[in-house]
């Protein structure tokens, strides 16, 4: 039997005599089952099992009891119960673990009766997942770290049969850009286990830090683990470091730390896969041992962004491979994982093209170009890794120049690389930036803490499917699963890291575990709010971005009315709003249809639950200026890639956000903006405001000059004002209004010219982004 239909309420009358403390009888329905990821099958029965102080856990096989300690510790915290573990089943009131070799790996079955619970599995992971499911069947208060009063520790009589859809379900954690202590890594492991994820991809090496002790090469942590402290500056606004700079920011894991982390993870069913980058993203190693590079130039460990990445390992020196093999020998001793990840991404090979040693290698090995030299590099390292009983994983760039024979590809630049690798017969882990990059924003950028860019909300993660339609059945077998990637360039604290991981990891866990045909966004949102309560009790700083109300605006030109549509990620949301500047409360008007606005209005809105506002309040003033809905003529049409909402974008009242892909920006590449707005009749005006954006990373720069001209006939224009600004380096992402004030003028036509910087300091074309021109 599959999951019972969400729309069908199944009321099971539970006749249980809960005589202590005056507890009420609980009537369970399907809506009470809040398990994430959703089980493959479950059916409700009649009655409940109640945990009491005398409940026993029956374990008849050799185990370190970590799996039972999950709940033992929970009941110790909430009730101060010391529940016993025994090999002999009592007459009743017990939880028994039963080995069943007929089940698949990681699968489990739970049978809940009124007098006992049995959890069947083939392996420790299956038992672990069964207990994690049972944990979520209990009231959320089971997560409390303190005594809970009058709790009803009951779960319904039911049958659950469950197993994962994909064998690889991972989280990539970057500790190289910003270092996180082992205690946080352990917390993350616990949370992975709770969601039935089974891989921690441990990104231990990058340009900005080497985080693992290698005894044969002590400078890797003495030098490579620390950098100049520029944490007060934006990641891409930090100066280039020098070898002599005082390096105080960083940290690393000793080999004893690594052993502790790996043992902790293994006991919780988590495989820890180390990533030791090569041939690029290794400036921390080159700062420690300059002879590893082509030209042996001393460098400092970078404090921030590096692009392009030209300081990479020299592929022409045998000593480079000797170094890497020695490093991996120590790494392999520490990690029992099946895989070793070698990165292999974003190597700019300009030094290889000039290096005598690399050129000699290419000639000797009969390699036609530097791409084939990278393939040689990867294949050589794979041969070594295979000789030690391990398998190699690399990012999809390892496809370039020819793929190593046994390599597994991690496809991050979309799914194309994964498809190509699967068609060649290689195993694949899908982790496309579109759905799996957790360093992207998950709500409106103006309301979110700093992130790398992009937009990956909770609902988009939930849509992820590693299987691509064009694959054949044989090729699909090579898709091992998927993975979330959290890169830490913008993430300096554990709290921020949690915010970016949760709750999106819950959505990914269901996408990778549950049968695709059972996935239902409405049903998931019904369950995720219960998970939020668990996160709160577990002190997880989860993002509430899914609650955020956002607005779309449309112009009704015939009636000259602005219509505002409110929404958030939850279906059938109770959104309430005010348009008179008053505070929101349970009496505020419920949103049911677009809000019509004909004058400047302060709109406040929020999602409500149980008559209380939840999440951050939406608060926006929609300025109904004199140009709203008026015709705009363009001397130079905007770029095809950034058309905004069309010809009325600049006069539709809707402002763009820091997400320049939000559809509210018009942009010009290497060209000026010159527009004329027809106010349709002679109008008195004294102010023009132009909204713009700067985000120099992707080449978006403020205008260096804005000029305003007015005319009564559309032919003879008078200059009435301008603002100018000099170029300034700005590593952040900003929104700014440029205001031009002047004495009152009679005008029907207003010409606005915004001058593009034209060229970046590096010589490329610059973007000019404009979202609104306000005329008053």
């Amino acid at each position: 039997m599959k999951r019972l239909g969400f729309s069908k309420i199944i009321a099971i009358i539970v006749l249980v005599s809960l005589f202590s403390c005056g507890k009420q009888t609980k009537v369970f329905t399907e809506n009470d089952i809040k398990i994430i990821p959703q089980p493959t099958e479950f059916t409700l029965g009649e009655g409940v099992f109640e945990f009491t102080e005398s409940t026993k856990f029956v374990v008849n096989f050799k185990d370190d009891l970590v799996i039972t300690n999950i709940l033992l510790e929970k009941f110790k915290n909430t009730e101060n119960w010391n529940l016993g573990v025994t090999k002999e089943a009592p007459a009743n009131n017990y939880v028994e673990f039963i080995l069943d070799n007929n089940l698949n790996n990681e699968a489990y079955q739970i049978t809940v009766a009124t007098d006992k619970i049995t959890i069947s599995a083939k392996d420790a992971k299956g038992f672990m997942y069964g207990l994690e499911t049972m944990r979520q069947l209990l009231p959320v208060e089971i997560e409390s770290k303190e005594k809970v009063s009058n709790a009803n520790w009951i779960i319904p009589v039911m049958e659950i049969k469950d197993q994962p859809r994909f064998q690889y379900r991972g989280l990539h954690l970057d500790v190289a850009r910003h270092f996180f202590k082992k205690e946080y890594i352990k917390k993350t492991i616990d949370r992975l286990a709770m969601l039935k994820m089974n891989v921690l991809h441990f990104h231990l090496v990058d340009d900005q830090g080497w985080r693992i002790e290698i005894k044969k090469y002590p400078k890797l942590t003495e030098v490579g683990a620390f950098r100049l402290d520029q944490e007060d500056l934006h990641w891409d606004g930090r100066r280039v470091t020098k070898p002599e700079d005082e390096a105080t920011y960083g940290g690393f894991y000793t080999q004893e730390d690594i052993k502790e982390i790996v043992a902790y993870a293994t006991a919780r069913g988590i495989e820890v896969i180390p990533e030791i980058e090569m041939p690029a993203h290794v400036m921390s190693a080159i700062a420690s041992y300059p002879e590893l590079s082509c030209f042996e130039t001393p460098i400092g460990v970078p404090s921030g962004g590096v692009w392009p990445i030209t300081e990479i390992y020299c592929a022409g020196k045998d000593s480079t491979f000797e170094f890497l093999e020695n490093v991996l020998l120590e790494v392999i001793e520490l990690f029992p994982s099946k895989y070793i990840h070698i990165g292999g991404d974003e190597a700019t090979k300009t030094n290889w093209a000039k290096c005598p040693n690399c050129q000699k290698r290419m000639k000797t090995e009969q390699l036609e170009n530097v791409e084939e030299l990278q393939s040689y590099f990867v294949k050589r390292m794979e041969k070594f890794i295979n000789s030690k009983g391990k398998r190699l994983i690399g990012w999809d760039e390892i496809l370039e120049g020819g793929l190593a024979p046994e390599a597994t590809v991690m496809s991050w630049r979309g799914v194309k690389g994964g498809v190509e690798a699967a068609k060649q017969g290689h195993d694949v882990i899908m982790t496309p930036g579109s759905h799996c990059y957790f360093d992207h924003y998950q709500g409106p950028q103006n309301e979110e803490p700093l992130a790398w860019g992009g937009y990956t909300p909770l609902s988009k993660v939930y849509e992820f499917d590693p299987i691509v339609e064009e694959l054949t059945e044989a090729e699909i077998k090579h898709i091992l699963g998927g993975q979330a990637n959290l890169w830490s360039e913008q993430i300096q604290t554990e709290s921020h890291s949690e915010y970016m991981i949760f709750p999106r990891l819950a959505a990914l866990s269901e996408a990778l575990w549950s049968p695709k045909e059972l996935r239902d966004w409405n049903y998931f949102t019904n369950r995720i709010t219960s998970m939020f309560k668990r996160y709160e009790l577990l002190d997880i700083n989860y993002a509430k971005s899914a609650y955020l109300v956002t607005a779309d605006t449309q112009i009704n030109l015939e009636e000259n009315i602005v219509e505002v549509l409110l929404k958030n990620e939850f279906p059938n949301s109770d959104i309430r709003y005010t348009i008179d500047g008053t505070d929101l409360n349970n009496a505020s008007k419920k949103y049911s249809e677009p809000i019509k606005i004909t004058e400047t209005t302060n709109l406040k809105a929020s999602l409500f639950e149980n008559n209380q506002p939840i999440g951050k309040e939406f608060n926006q003033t929609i300025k109904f200026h004199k140009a709203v809905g008026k015709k705009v003529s363009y001397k130079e049409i905007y770029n095809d890639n950034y058309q905004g909402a069309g010809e009325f974008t600049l006069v539709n009242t809707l402002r763009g956000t820091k997400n320049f892909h939000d559809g509210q920006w018009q942009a010009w590449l290497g060209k000026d903006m010159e527009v004329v707005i027809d106010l349709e009749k002679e109008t008195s005006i004294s102010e023009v405001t132009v909204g713009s954006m700067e985000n120099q990373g992707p080449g978006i720069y403020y205008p260096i000059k804005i000029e305003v001209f007015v005319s009564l006939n559309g032919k003879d224009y008078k200059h009435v004002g301008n603002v100018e600004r000099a170029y300034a380096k700005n590593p952040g992402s900003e929104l700014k209004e440029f205001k031009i004030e002047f004495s009152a003028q009679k005008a029907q036509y207003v010409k606005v010219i915004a001058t593009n910087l034209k060229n970046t300091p590096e010589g490329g074309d610059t973007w000019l982004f404009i979202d609104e021109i306000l005329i008053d």
Side-chain angles (χ1 to χ4, degrees):
M1 279 178 274
K2 299 297 184 185
R3 176 180 61 81
L4 302 174
F6 177 71
S7 60
K8 185 178 179 182
I9 303 297
I10 302 175
I12 306 297
I13 300 176
V14 182
L15 303 175
V16 181
S17 177
L18 299 174
F19 49 83
S20 63
C21 304
K23 296 176 183 176
Q24 299 297 311
T25 298
K26 170 68 177 178
V27 177
F28 278 95
T29 70
E30 185 184 344
N31 278 343
D32 295 309
I33 309 304
K34 309 284 191 180
I35 304 166
I36 297 177
Q38 181 184 352
T40 305
E41 303 178 27
F42 75 82
T43 54
L44 286 169
E46 295 185 5
V48 299
F49 176 89
E50 181 182 10
F51 286 88
T52 70
E53 191 171 7
S54 58
T55 301
K56 301 295 183 185
F57 284 75
V58 183
V59 182
N60 285 305
F61 52 89
K62 185 178 180 181
D63 195 89
D64 60 6
L65 298 182
V66 168
I67 56 173
T68 55
N69 284 338
I70 293 172
L71 281 185
L72 295 180
E73 184 178 346
K74 296 291 180 183
F75 282 117
K76 177 67 175 176
N77 291 336
T78 56
E79 290 286 3
N80 199 29
W81 291 346
N82 292 305
L83 301 184
V85 178
T86 179
K87 291 185 177 181
E88 298 294 329
N92 54 41
N93 193 13
Y94 62 91
V95 178
E96 184 174 17
F97 299 91
I98 299 176
L99 281 168
D100 186 345
N101 290 321
N102 293 318
L103 295 176
N104 293 329
N105 293 335
E106 300 190 299
Y108 68 92
Q109 294 182 5
I110 299 177
T111 300
V112 182
T114 56
D115 60 340
K116 67 178 180 178
I117 299 173
T118 59
I119 302 178
S120 302
K122 179 181 181 179
D123 52 24
K125 286 186 181 181
F127 289 120
M128 172 75 68
Y129 300 147
L131 267 176
E132 292 291 359
T133 290
M134 197 162 69
R135 171 182 172 183
Q136 291 190 44
L137 288 169
L138 285 161
V140 296
E141 289 78 14
I142 195 67
E143 311 298 348
S144 177
K145 297 176 183 177
E146 300 175 352
K147 182 78 166 61
V148 175
S149 301
N150 299 319
N152 242 356
W153 303 121
I154 60 173
I155 61 177
V157 167
M158 65 188 307
E159 290 271 356
I160 297 177
K161 296 180 180 180
D162 202 10
Q163 64 181 15
R165 181 184 176 203
F166 292 101
Q167 62 177 279
Y168 187 108
R169 308 177 302 281
L171 170 69
H172 164 281
L173 199 61
D174 173 10
V175 296
R177 272 53 176 266
H178 285 95
F179 177 71
F180 300 114
K181 294 180 179 178
K182 67 180 179 182
E183 290 75 18
Y184 176 66
I185 307 305
K186 287 182 175 182
K187 286 181 185 178
T188 303
I189 289 167
D190 285 336
R191 294 156 187 177
L192 285 170
M194 182 171 70
L195 292 168
K196 303 183 178 73
M197 305 290 280
N198 62 359
V199 175
L200 174 64
H201 175 174
F202 210 13
H203 189 84
L204 291 163
V205 173
D206 218 295
D207 294 311
Q208 296 81 9
W210 185 287
R211 305 299 180 202
I212 178 172
E213 177 190 24
I214 302 297
K215 294 185 182 297
K216 190 174 183 66
Y217 301 105
K219 287 184 180 180
L220 288 173
T221 46
E222 291 171 4
V223 175
F226 298 91
R227 63 185 189 232
L228 177 67
D229 189 343
Q230 299 188 69
E231 295 305 301
D232 58 327
L233 301 175
H234 187 279
W235 183 256
D236 289 324
R238 302 175 182 182
R239 73 168 176 84
V240 176
T241 54
K242 302 175 182 178
E244 61 270 20
D245 284 332
E246 181 182 11
T248 58
Y249 183 87
F252 65 93
Y253 306 102
T254 66
Q255 293 199 359
E256 290 305 309
D257 290 335
I258 294 292
K259 291 176 183 177
E260 184 179 337
I261 289 168
V262 169
Y264 191 88
T266 302
R268 287 154 182 81
I270 308 295
E271 180 182 18
V272 184
I273 297 176
E275 182 174 357
I276 308 298
E277 282 272 14
M278 59 185 82
H281 287 286
V282 292
M283 292 175 70
S284 56
I286 291 172
S288 306
Y289 297 97
E291 62 270 22
L292 295 170
S293 65
C294 287
F295 301 110
E296 305 186 6
T297 304
I299 61 172
V301 177
S303 291
V306 178
W307 193 261
I309 303 170
T310 56
E311 286 291 350
I312 65 179
Y313 288 140
C314 179
K317 299 175 184 175
D318 285 335
S319 56
T320 299
F321 294 97
E322 180 184 354
F323 164 82
L324 288 170
E325 289 173 4
N326 287 333
V327 166
L328 290 180
L329 282 173
E330 295 192 33
V331 170
I332 288 168
E333 281 294 313
L334 295 169
F335 292 91
S337 58
K338 178 180 179 180
Y339 296 102
I340 300 293
H341 201 302
I342 64 152
D345 60 315
E346 298 183 329
T348 302
K349 309 172 188 70
T350 51
N351 284 355
W352 284 4
K354 297 180 289 186
C355 171
N357 291 309
C358 290
Q359 291 302 304
K360 182 179 178 181
R361 176 82 68 193
M362 290 171 64
K363 184 177 181 180
T364 302
E365 300 293 334
Q366 298 181 336
L367 307 174
E368 292 187 4
N369 51 47
V370 290
E371 283 68 37
E372 289 192 5
L373 181 57
Q374 175 159 338
S375 179
Y376 163 85
F377 192 113
V378 172
K379 289 176 180 177
R380 181 165 173 172
M381 293 312 304
E382 185 195 35
K383 186 176 180 180
F384 175 78
I385 289 169
N386 291 163
S387 73
K388 304 304 174 185
K390 303 286 186 178
R391 296 189 65 178
L392 177 148
I393 298 180
W395 301 108
D396 56 52
E397 283 95 333
I398 66 172
L399 286 161
E400 297 168 4
L403 189 56
E406 302 294 328
T408 296
V409 171
M410 195 166 273
S411 187
W412 71 278
R413 295 179 298 179
V415 298
K416 182 179 178 182
V419 170
E420 181 183 343
K423 287 183 178 297
Q424 294 179 22
H426 292 270
D427 287 344
V428 173
I429 298 153
M430 290 293 196
T431 177
S434 57
H435 292 77
C436 298
Y437 267 48
F438 284 11
D439 53 333
H440 290 178
Y441 288 96
Q442 53 194 313
Q445 288 191 19
N446 296 13
E447 306 295 336
E448 291 286 301
L450 185 64
W452 184 250
Y455 181 54
T456 310
L458 183 67
S459 56
K460 190 168 186 179
V461 176
Y462 192 76
E463 294 170 358
F464 174 58
D465 189 351
I467 302 300
V468 179
E469 287 185 3
E470 65 186 270
L471 294 174
T472 66
E473 287 298 318
E475 291 161 354
I476 285 173
K477 293 179 180 179
H478 288 291
I479 308 299
L480 304 183
Q483 173 176 286
N485 292 329
L486 183 60
W487 302 97
S488 68
E489 287 95 336
Q490 313 297 349
I491 299 171
Q492 299 183 10
T493 66
E494 294 175 2
S495 177
H496 192 182
S497 178
E498 288 179 348
Y499 184 93
M500 303 304 280
I501 295 172
F502 301 99
R504 288 186 287 190
L505 193 66
L508 186 71
S509 76
E510 185 146 311
L512 296 175
W513 178 280
S514 305
K516 185 178 180 180
E517 62 271 17
L518 292 188
R519 271 198 276 160
D520 182 320
W521 173 246
N522 289 0
Y523 186 51
F524 178 77
T525 57
N526 173 266
R527 290 172 285 132
I528 192 63
T529 51
S530 177
M531 185 64 75
F532 289 168
K533 295 173 184 176
R534 292 182 187 271
Y535 290 162
E536 288 164 8
L537 289 167
L538 291 166
D539 296 325
I540 297 174
N541 182 40
Y542 70 96
K544 301 176 179 66
S545 309
Y547 287 135
L548 289 174
V549 174
T550 59
D552 286 337
T553 298
Q554 298 176 353
I555 297 288
N556 184 327
L557 294 176
E558 292 182 1
E559 301 179 27
N560 204 26
I561 292 174
V562 175
E563 293 187 338
V564 182
L565 295 83
L566 300 178
K567 60 182 179 179
N568 75 343
E569 287 201 78
F570 291 101
N572 305 313
S573 295
D574 179 7
I575 297 175
R576 306 186 193 184
Y577 70 95
T578 64
I579 56 175
D580 57 3
T582 59
D583 291 336
L584 292 163
N585 56 52
N586 60 2
S588 298
K589 188 172 182 178
K590 289 189 176 184
Y591 175 79
S592 60
E593 60 184 4
I595 304 164
K596 296 182 178 181
I597 295 175
T598 58
E599 60 185 1
T600 297
T601 301
N602 179 218
L603 173 61
K604 297 179 182 179
S606 178
L607 178 67
F608 273 68
E609 188 176 85
N610 299 323
N611 283 324
Q612 295 296 320
I614 55 175
K616 191 172 182 179
E617 178 186 278
F618 173 89
N619 190 330
Q620 181 176 316
T621 296
I622 298 170
K623 190 169 180 59
F624 210 87
H625 54 92
K626 294 178 179 180
V628 171
K630 306 305 182 185
K631 182 179 179 181
V632 182
S633 301
Y634 297 83
K635 181 180 180 180
E636 190 72 54
I637 200 69
Y638 37 81
N639 189 278
D640 286 344
N641 293 322
Y642 298 99
Q643 302 183 44
E647 59 181 316
F648 293 99
T649 297
L650 301 182
V651 290
N652 69 357
T653 78
L654 187 60
R655 308 308 301 273
T657 67
K658 292 180 180 179
N659 174 14
F660 53 87
H661 295 295
D662 66 9
Q664 307 306 328
W665 293 97
Q666 290 184 339
W668 290 260
L669 180 60
K671 299 175 181 178
D672 300 333
M673 179 204 75
E674 182 173 336
V675 299
V676 174
I677 300 170
D678 182 356
L679 300 178
E680 297 178 353
K681 63 182 179 180
E682 185 177 300
T683 307
S684 178
I685 64 172
S686 59
E687 181 179 293
V688 173
T689 303
V690 179
S692 186
M693 170 194 286
E694 186 159 76
N695 188 343
Q696 294 181 4
I700 303 170
Y701 289 76
Y702 285 140
I704 57 174
K705 185 177 183 180
I706 298 176
E707 301 170 271
V708 176
F709 304 82
V710 298
S711 172
L712 288 170
N713 59 14
K715 297 179 181 179
D716 304 310
Y717 282 91
K718 174 185 175 182
H719 180 271
V720 293
N722 64 268
V723 293
E724 296 186 44
R725 64 181 302 279
Y727 158 75
K729 187 174 182 179
N730 178 11
S733 176
E734 290 183 354
L735 305 177
K736 186 177 180 65
E737 290 188 340
F738 295 93
K739 186 177 293 185
I740 299 95
E741 297 176 304
F742 44 88
S743 59
Q745 303 284 325
K746 295 288 186 180
Q748 179 176 337
Y749 301 93
V750 181
K751 180 187 293 185
V752 181
I753 301 175
T755 304
N756 194 324
L757 180 64
K758 302 289 195 307
N759 298 109
T760 70
E762 291 77 29
D765 288 342
T766 59
W767 286 99
L768 171 66
F769 272 65
I770 307 293
D771 69 336
E772 189 83 3
I773 298 176
L774 302 90
I775 299 178
D776 289 295

